[in-house]
Amino acid sequence: MIRGMTVPIIRLPAAILAVSAVRDGPPLELDSAKHTLGAADERRVAGDRLRMLLHDLQEVQENSHGRGLAVLSKEPREHETDLRLSKVSALVSTSDSNSTSGVLPPFAAMAWDGSAGSLHAITDALGFRHLYSRSADSWAALSTSARALAALAPAGLDLTAIAVQSLLGWQVGLRTPFAEVSKVAPGARLHLSGGQVTSEEPDAIQPAAGPRGGIDQVVREAARLLSTYLASYLDDHPDAVLQLTGGQDSRILLAAIPPHRRRGLSAMTLSVPGSPDLSIARALAERYSMKHHVIDTSGLESLAAPEAHDMVVAAAQRVDCSADPLALASVYWAEAKFDQRPRLGGLGGEVARGFYYLGPAEKGTVTKSRVERLAEWRMFTNGAVPLDSLDSGFAKWSRAVAVDVLHSIFNSYGPDWLTATDEFYLNQRMHRWAGVLATANCMDRTIVHPMLDDRFIALARSLSPKEKRNSLFLSRLCCALDEEISEIPLDSRPSPQVYARPNLRNKALLSAMAARRAARKVHQRIVRRQRPSAGSEILAAKIGQYYVEDSSCLERIAQQGILDEQWLDLVSTGHVAVDPASVAMLVNLEVATTRL
């Protein structure tokens, strides 16, 4: 017991796996996949031509004719309306390749037909709700779990995917850490039947020119959209909780809620040591008479090493070994102290901010040197595994491979460099990093991100880089929604009004702030200091202790040629202080290789 609370063990998520085999083909053993998913119920459809494993799914509808429907996200929403099962069924059955464009991420669904022995699946247009597929000579499969697909017929690790993750901390493209297992493309419609899986993907939507009124018109339309969205959501879910930080995106959501509806509104803030988020959020909550809930990671230090290890292993299972399990475990620990009501979150604002703009201008086309410079400056910093933890040959190879992979992706969004960085943020970082974390939670809790609405994203993509740079659009949006809120400074930054009105005085303030941030980034690169998430350092130390007590899995990990064997020996004897990024990779590899 910790402070009167039982140590929360992270459950395996609700999941589904569907396997279609060719007629008269050899039977496929599902025991390993069943074990990976948990205590899965098995369905056999159309004379075993379609076999399914279901674990802990709540929104499942089946009839006596062998037809079924599974909704794979909690309380999905399309624009200003909650989606009912009947509407989900219609979305799955339609032939319209853009049918899910208006459904807020994360969303996915599967429907099966007992008489035909077939299954259809859809996912949201951003691919935020992760589904996975795999094809072999005599069978094909779809699942919410990449690990379960890998367990069907172990083929080892995808070393290119591991190489990218060792530097970014997350995946890009459609790769997973498992060979032969792929992430389903955004907005795809899939058909599983006869031992094959086919995918129909919507055409890529190119950024459109903004309204004739330019940024002023975009600000007006975005303000109207968010105000309408939030009013409708709070009408439908009056118990919703605003995830409130000291940053700009949650400030915009608060600004979009009329003052009279803020009174009594619940808000929650994660308390992170050294962050000004809590003091700013608390002041906002007091100012507008909101009910403020503060959650933190206190108590982690009292965990025994095996308990910490169990939590982080379960988190790695939830993210399919594709992101940082320490960060997720810390969040789950804090979340155990808070009731799971619907929430409003600010993800998506970064899409309208030019998150990856580097330097004062950076005009031009996509080049490998630009990609490499951006990667070294912004991408390979916080999530990268330190070189002394990696096998030297793998470390050298992985950096070259990662840059090549990133260059190929940026090229596909080119030729304009700044537009390509915006598209990369939306279609890669949001899709694969934020998406896999949202996927880990989307069957347990409802978190709505209004700025991931397709209409808001379309408005953001219509802006020029000049209109997004330095938070110009977002700050003007905040001012249009609420001038008073926009006068309050952000976390370690001036108020939105300063960004929205770039006069000489404000430009001087912003230039000085940019210089300080650049100096901090240079210092971070020189000393190779990372910024671990809340609780990660505590959990990393606990798991380092666990590997001293039980190093049985380290030999299996050493055989992969990814981590340095001498470093692993030091870990097993407790002669090295393990950092969060290295521990994240260790645990992910432990889980990924368990049944491979």
Side-chain angles (χ1 to χ4, degrees), residues 106-177:
F107 169 76
M110 291 185 185
W112 52 95
D113 184 340
S115 60
S118 62
L119 178 142
H120 291 83
I122 55 174
T123 187
D124 63 75
L126 188 56
F128 210 62
R129 202 310 178 201
H130 285 26
L131 298 181
Y132 305 94
S133 68
R134 186 176 182 186
S135 296
D137 291 338
S138 59
W139 58 272
L142 290 171
S143 182
T144 53
S145 170
R147 293 171 49 250
L149 291 177
L152 285 173
L157 299 175
D158 182 331
L159 290 182
T160 297
I162 300 295
V164 171
Q165 189 169 329
S166 73
L167 288 158
L168 285 179
W170 43 278
Q171 291 293 330
V172 296
L174 300 179
R175 290 184 181 273
T176 74

Side-chain angles (χ1 to χ4, degrees), residues 158-415:
D158 182 331
L159 290 182
T160 297
I162 300 295
V164 171
Q165 189 169 329
S166 73
L167 288 158
L168 285 179
W170 43 278
Q171 291 293 330
V172 296
L174 300 179
R175 290 184 181 273
T176 74
F178 309 100
E180 302 180 9
V181 179
S182 298
K183 161 69 173 67
V184 167
R189 306 183 62 80
L190 301 111
H191 178 69
L192 181 66
S193 180
Q196 293 185 320
V197 60
T198 57
S199 176
E200 178 187 355
E201 300 167 19
D203 295 332
I205 301 175
Q206 299 301 319
R212 293 180 62 183
I215 187 173
D216 292 335
Q217 182 64 24
V218 175
V219 166
R220 285 192 292 270
E221 290 190 18
R224 184 165 52 248
L225 168 65
L226 291 180
S227 297
T228 302
Y229 194 104
L230 286 161
S232 176
Y233 194 80
L234 290 173
D235 285 343
D236 293 342
H237 303 276
D239 61 336
V241 179
L242 174 65
Q243 294 185 160
L244 186 62
T245 70
Q248 187 170 44
D249 300 333
S250 69
R251 181 77 58 86
I252 288 172
L253 295 186
L254 180 59
I257 300 171
H260 73 276
R261 297 199 71 164
R262 296 172 198 163
R263 179 178 296 274
L265 178 71
S266 290
M268 62 174 289
T269 303
L270 177 63
S271 176
V272 178
S275 170
D277 273 353
L278 180 57
S279 60
I280 296 174
R282 180 176 284 138
L284 287 168
E286 291 177 356
R287 185 176 190 135
Y288 297 108
S289 301
M290 296 187 288
K291 299 174 183 176
H292 194 213
H293 307 271
V294 179
I295 61 175
D296 56 41
T297 57
S298 61
L300 278 174
E301 63 280 355
S302 300
L303 278 174
E307 293 170 334
H309 177 259
D310 285 349
M311 280 180 57
V312 178
V313 162
Q317 292 168 340
R318 280 202 167 233
V319 295
D320 277 305
C321 310
S322 295
D324 181 0
L326 297 174
L328 184 63
S330 298
V331 169
Y332 265 91
W333 174 265
E335 290 280 1
K337 308 171 185 179
F338 190 73
D339 59 325
Q340 300 306 312
R341 287 182 280 163
R343 297 191 203 165
L344 293 161
L347 274 180
E350 303 93 339
V351 174
R353 186 160 55 230
F355 187 85
Y356 279 136
Y357 292 176
L358 182 64
E362 286 293 335
K363 295 180 180 178
T365 60
V366 173
T367 65
K368 189 172 183 178
S369 61
R370 279 197 171 100
V371 172
E372 189 166 13
R373 186 166 68 250
L374 177 62
E376 293 286 352
W377 184 256
R378 292 292 303 275
M379 298 180 181
F380 297 168
T381 51
N382 290 326
V385 178
L387 292 177
D388 57 1
S389 305
L390 295 170
D391 174 85
S392 59
F394 179 83
K396 182 178 180 180
W397 173 81
S398 64
R399 188 165 290 264
V401 165
V403 171
D404 284 344
V405 168
L406 293 175
H407 181 221
S408 176
I409 292 173
F410 273 91
N411 253 340
S412 70
Y413 302 138

Side-chain angles (χ1 to χ4, degrees), residues 484-558:
E484 181 184 85
I485 281 181
S486 302
E487 295 174 351
I488 302 170
L490 299 167
D491 52 355
S492 306
R493 290 175 292 166
S495 70
Q497 279 195 354
V498 172
Y499 289 90
R501 301 184 175 95
N503 53 37
L504 289 177
R505 177 179 177 276
N506 289 344
K507 283 182 178 179
L509 282 173
L510 295 177
S511 295
M513 183 200 66
R516 290 193 297 271
R517 294 179 68 179
R520 288 196 297 270
K521 181 64 71 173
V522 170
H523 177 71
Q524 182 186 8
R525 290 191 64 211
I526 291 173
V527 302
R528 297 185 179 275
R529 182 182 178 185
Q530 299 172 332
R531 292 183 298 177
S533 58
S536 290
E537 290 180 308
I538 296 173
L539 287 176
K542 297 285 184 183
I543 291 170
Q545 180 185 342
Y546 171 83
Y547 285 131
V548 173
E549 298 170 1
D550 183 356
S551 60
S552 56
C553 70
L554 298 185
E555 182 177 351
R556 183 178 75 244
I557 294 172

Side-chain angles (χ1 to χ4, degrees), residues 412-469:
S412 70
Y413 302 138
D416 178 70
W417 168 242
L418 293 182
T419 299
T421 65
D422 287 337
E423 294 298 294
F424 182 88
Y425 190 89
L426 174 64
N427 295 299
Q428 299 300 326
R429 183 170 169 84
M430 292 300 296
H431 171 199
R432 295 305 313 270
W433 171 72
V436 77
L437 296 174
T439 294
N441 302 323
C442 70
M443 299 295 285
D444 299 323
R445 63 179 70 105
T446 303
I447 304 181
V448 171
H449 299 285
M451 285 185 281
L452 288 181
D453 184 289
D454 64 304
R455 298 165 298 179
F456 185 89
I457 289 176
L459 288 170
R461 294 175 84 224
S462 75
L463 294 165
S464 69
K466 181 180 179 181
E467 292 166 325
K468 286 182 278 193
R469 184 187 289 279

